[in-house]
Amino acid sequence: MSSESTPINVGVIGFGMSAQVFHAPLISSTKGLNLTAFVNRSGPSLALSSKYPKAAVYQSHEQLLQDPAIDLVVITTPNTLHFDLARQALEAGKHVVVEKPFTVTFEEGILLSKLAKQHSRVLSVFQNRRWDADFLTVQKLVQSQKSTLGRIVSFESRFDRFRNFSKNGWRETGRVEEGSGVLYDLCSHLLDQALVLFGEPEYLTAHVSNQRQLETSQVDDQFLVHLDYKDGLRCTLGAGMLARIPTPRFRLTGMNGSYVKYGLDVQENQLKEGLTPKNGAYGLESEDSWGEIDTLLNVEGVQLHVKGKVDSEVGSYRSYYANVCQAIQGTGPLAVTAEQAAWVIHGIQLAIESSRSGQRVAWHQ
């Protein structure tokens, strides 16, 4: 446990897109965290030295883990390396944040969770999209469903794009057994959000495929996952690479009305453009991006038909790191736990099983 007055020194393993766009700017913007070091196999670079001149640069993770000044290690490597690097970091006495997806298998996630408890270390997974502006808005609507949409009967969540070619990165050229493909990449977000909103389902049914059939990419680039609950609720999660016409990001259907939201959260693009949470415009969606609601409200016995836009909440990826900081300091509970992240991987593995067998599978087997 660290004192609130003592900065938590953070070392980041990897300096690819994830570290550059998300982790480094967010860590640098979070009170109580001190971005101290990076692991970059090629050594110091202009991008590193210009943006983070005070940070040390190591060429191996072993060097970082041997640095006694490092309190928290952030792992932003390809998915196959997550388990072993997290294990080594925990055994070195470090707190750990792992980029999503947590691990390749459920068993690996549970082992790391147990290891973190054995060493009394904080272990979390970067499920940053719990702090998307639109998801925070959906969360409020679900929590207030009795007074807004009525009992929720259907939830749809999609990440679609149009890219009929491969970028030839490891996510598209690896194997599903290595955690490559769009299922591990994007369903890790969508499953996590669904579990936060509605808890564990009773059954899961999935179709996972390679629609583009590119010579350079043999892994899945499309998925459709259905989560079925005891009360009749169905969650539909999907993603694809050939959606030239935009599809809804979210659709909520209740007994009294519906909510529909188009477009992705603004924070990723803002971070890519150099806008950080220190800027007052960060995380704010424009009004033309807000979702729309059409529902019946009962106000003191009077039924009102309400139709219009719903103000989006303010997106806040920095809140993820602020929470990790609090958990390490012992001033608040951890929001994204290793156990939660492991169950997301369980869902992904069930989706692979369901798609291969063509059968619905029970969540608990």
Side-chain angles (χ1 to χ4, degrees):
M1 186 181 301
S2 299
S3 167
E4 288 186 64
S5 60
T6 304
I8 296 166
N9 292 326
V10 184
V12 179
I13 299 179
F15 196 62
M17 189 279 282
S18 176
Q20 293 183 49
V21 173
F22 292 103
H23 296 277
L26 295 174
I27 293 166
S28 299
S29 301
T30 303
K31 183 180 179 181
L33 298 183
N34 178 34
L35 187 52
T36 307
F38 290 91
V39 173
N40 192 34
R41 285 184 299 176
S42 58
S45 67
L46 181 60
L48 257 174
S49 59
S50 61
K51 289 186 176 180
Y52 309 102
K54 295 181 180 180
V57 179
Y58 297 115
Q59 289 186 270
S60 73
H61 69 274
E62 290 90 351
Q63 290 175 304
L64 178 73
L65 298 184
Q66 290 168 6
D67 185 343
I70 299 297
D71 304 302
L72 169 64
V73 171
V74 178
I75 297 169
T76 70
T77 62
N79 301 339
T80 49
L81 301 177
H82 288 184
F83 172 75
D84 197 46
L85 288 175
R87 178 187 60 79
Q88 292 182 52
L90 290 168
E91 290 176 344
K94 312 298 185 183
H95 302 287
V96 179
V97 164
V98 182
E99 175 60 79
K100 65 79 200 166
F102 183 19
T103 51
V104 177
T105 69
F106 174 70
E107 291 75 16
E108 288 176 339
I110 293 300
L111 283 173
L112 289 178
S113 175
K114 291 178 178 178
L115 188 62
K117 291 176 181 177
Q118 291 172 10
H119 290 272
S120 299
R121 298 292 90 180
V122 169
L123 171 61
S124 184
V125 177
F126 190 59
Q127 298 288 174
N128 59 304
R129 291 197 176 274
R130 291 192 192 185
W131 288 271
D132 278 355
D134 48 16
F135 178 70
L136 293 172
T137 307
V138 166
Q139 196 170 25
K140 286 190 71 173
L141 287 171
V142 170
Q143 292 169 348
S144 65
Q145 59 185 278
K146 290 183 179 179
S147 60
T148 52
L149 299 175
R151 179 174 59 84
I152 302 299
V153 300
S154 174
F155 171 67
E156 299 171 49
S157 175
R158 297 193 63 89
F159 271 164
D160 287 319
R161 67 189 72 174
F162 183 80
R163 194 171 79 226
N164 59 3
F165 60 90
S166 172
K167 289 186 176 181
N168 296 325
W170 61 264
R171 289 182 178 85
E172 294 185 85
T173 58
R175 297 180 299 122
V176 68
E177 293 80 9
E178 300 170 334
S180 295
V182 73
L183 184 70
Y184 271 96
D185 188 30
L186 297 181
C187 199
S188 53
H189 281 310
L190 303 189
L191 260 174
D192 180 69
Q193 290 179 334
L195 294 176
V196 168
L197 290 175
F198 303 109
E200 295 179 346
E202 190 174 14
Y203 295 103
L204 181 150
T205 311
H207 179 264
V208 185
S209 68
N210 182 330
Q211 291 185 326
R212 295 177 298 175
Q213 296 292 307
L214 301 173
E215 290 184 6
T216 56
S217 180
Q218 304 303 313
V219 293
D220 57 274
D221 58 13
Q222 177 274 339
F223 67 81
L224 189 66
V225 175
H226 296 297
L227 307 177
D228 290 302
Y229 291 76
K230 289 182 179 179
D231 63 358
L233 167 69
R234 166 166 276 199
C235 294
T236 299
L237 316 176
M241 305 292 283
L242 297 175
R244 204 184 245 311
I245 297 175
T247 56
R249 172 67 185 89
F250 288 114
R251 186 192 301 272
L252 268 176
T253 303
M255 290 292 290
N256 298 334
S258 299
Y259 169 83
V260 179
K261 172 69 167 61
Y262 283 83
L264 294 177
D265 180 85
V266 298
Q267 293 175 85
E268 180 173 347
N269 282 337
Q270 287 180 331
L271 289 166
K272 286 178 177 177
E273 293 167 1
L275 192 73
T276 73
K278 294 180 180 180
N279 189 299
Y282 179 85
L284 296 176
E285 287 194 335
S286 60
E287 186 174 344
D288 59 0
S289 297
W290 294 351
E292 295 191 356
I293 194 169
D294 189 335
T295 191
L296 296 175
L297 302 181
N298 191 303
V299 182
E300 297 181 354
V302 178
Q303 194 172 68
L304 300 177
H305 181 195
V306 176
K307 186 176 182 179
K309 292 182 176 293
V310 178
D311 300 31
S312 288
E313 296 293 302
V314 179
S316 180
Y317 292 165
R318 179 168 59 178
S319 293
Y320 170 81
Y321 270 111
N323 172 260
V324 170
C325 182
Q326 291 167 357
I328 292 173
Q329 293 171 338
T331 59
L334 187 64
V336 183
T337 67
E339 292 94 335
Q340 292 169 355
W343 281 103
V344 170
I345 303 304
H346 170 74
I348 289 174
Q349 291 187 286
L350 287 184
I352 294 171
E353 176 188 339
S354 172
S355 183
R356 287 176 175 172
S357 68
Q359 302 293 317
R360 183 178 74 168
V361 294
W363 183 265
H364 289 288
Q365 298 180 322

